[in-house]
Amino acid sequence: MSITSIGQQPLRDTPQSNGIQTQEQNSAVKVFSRIEQEVKPYERMTDQEIEDSLHKLETLSTVFGNKVKFTIDSNLDRLIIKVMDPDTDKVIKEIPPVALQKLQIRIKEALGLLFDEKV
């Protein structure tokens, strides 16, 4: 399987075009499998474990020709994913989009004006 685009942005050509996985891709699959085994479902992870896992994923993203940056937005208490060009560090795609992030912050602020506390 080969990812060729994200949204409407094409990714760089990968050496896997003929269906043969490269050594880097094989090692990435092994690391993803190891991460999957280390992270047990339904267990609460510590902040440090989350940071470590995200750092591993960021390191692996370079194998596929793009740089992926994972951050946790403290205002939204949500994971933000940025797909970036490794040469220019220009953001190609952001998930969720910036407009949606701003909307969520405004909704949280509006709810804060209406209600004093969470239940």
Side-chain angles (χ1 to χ4, degrees):
M1 181 171 92
S2 177
I3 299 173
T4 56
S5 68
I6 295 178
Q8 297 192 11
Q9 296 287 335
L11 296 176
R12 295 173 174 216
D13 292 330
T14 60
Q16 190 188 0
S17 59
N18 61 3
I20 299 171
Q21 288 186 337
T22 65
Q23 185 176 4
E24 287 179 334
Q25 289 169 329
N26 282 332
S27 64
V29 169
K30 288 177 186 176
V31 172
F32 274 120
S33 297
R34 191 171 66 229
I35 290 171
E36 194 173 56
Q37 291 170 359
E38 289 175 6
V39 178
K40 297 169 184 67
Y42 307 110
E43 279 189 20
R44 181 90 175 143
M45 294 175 68
T46 65
D47 289 344
Q48 186 60 44
E49 289 173 328
I50 293 170
E51 296 274 333
D52 292 343
S53 295
L54 293 179
H55 181 69
K56 288 178 187 177
L57 289 172
E58 286 176 4
T59 304
L60 285 174
S61 69
T62 57
V63 171
F64 299 104
N66 283 322
K67 184 169 143 184
V68 178
K69 184 174 181 182
F70 298 92
T71 56
I72 297 175
D73 188 311
S74 59
N75 293 331
L76 296 173
D77 197 28
R78 184 168 194 173
L79 178 68
I80 308 296
I81 304 168
K82 293 181 182 180
V83 180
M84 306 170 78
D85 184 310
D87 299 329
T88 63
D89 278 343
K90 180 180 177 187
V91 177
I92 298 170
K93 181 86 172 176
E94 190 163 344
I95 306 166
V98 175
L100 184 59
Q101 292 174 41
K102 289 179 180 179
L103 177 64
Q104 288 175 325
I105 289 171
R106 280 190 247 132
I107 290 172
K108 272 184 128 177
E109 289 171 352
L111 287 174
L113 294 173
L114 295 173
F115 304 102
D116 288 336
E117 58 185 67
K118 279 187 177 180
V119 177

